[in-house]
Amino acid sequence: MGYKLQKLFDDPNFAVGSIGCDTGLMINPQNDVVDYMIIEYPGRFEVYLNLFDYEDPSIPNVLVKGKSKSLEVAKSIAVRKLNKEAYGI
């Protein structure tokens, strides 16, 4: 299926109009590695979280997005979506 976060870049309209970007890795409370990307637009933030492991097929391939005027709210939305989709919590 592939790495969903990377596939976003195939869309020529992705991140058009953005004024900032941050990317990295984090370890979530379930001890899984999650890729994150934060894109800043005038007046709003989009936070993408991607849970995927090429070497461990038991880890689901999940990409979620949180969007808000506040960075903290966008992060919270994305984390809530990831927890629901990947872990059912």
Side-chain angles (χ1 to χ4, degrees), residues 2 4 14 22 31-32 45 64:
K4 292 180 178 182
F14 179 69
D22 183 26
N31 288 319
D32 291 325
F45 293 89
V64 295

Side-chain angles (χ1 to χ4, degrees), residues 7-77:
K7 289 184 178 189
L8 290 175
F9 293 98
D10 292 339
D11 180 354
N13 295 315
F14 179 69
V16 170
S18 65
I19 58 174
C21 181
D22 183 26
T23 61
L25 300 171
M26 66 180 198
I27 305 286
N28 69 7
Q30 291 76 21
N31 288 319
D32 291 325
V33 177
V34 178
D35 298 298
Y36 71 84
M37 180 169 49
I38 301 168
I39 300 177
E40 182 180 1
Y41 294 91
R44 79 181 199 297
F45 293 89
E46 292 182 0
V47 175
Y48 293 86
L49 300 177
N50 191 193
L51 175 64
F52 182 64
D53 189 334
Y54 284 105
E55 297 176 4
D56 187 350
S58 70
I59 294 179
N61 187 3
V62 176
L63 175 67
V64 295
K65 177 173 100 173
K67 183 169 104 173
S68 178
K69 292 179 181 180
S70 159
L71 176 57
E72 292 306 315
V73 171
K75 287 178 184 178
S76 294
I77 291 168

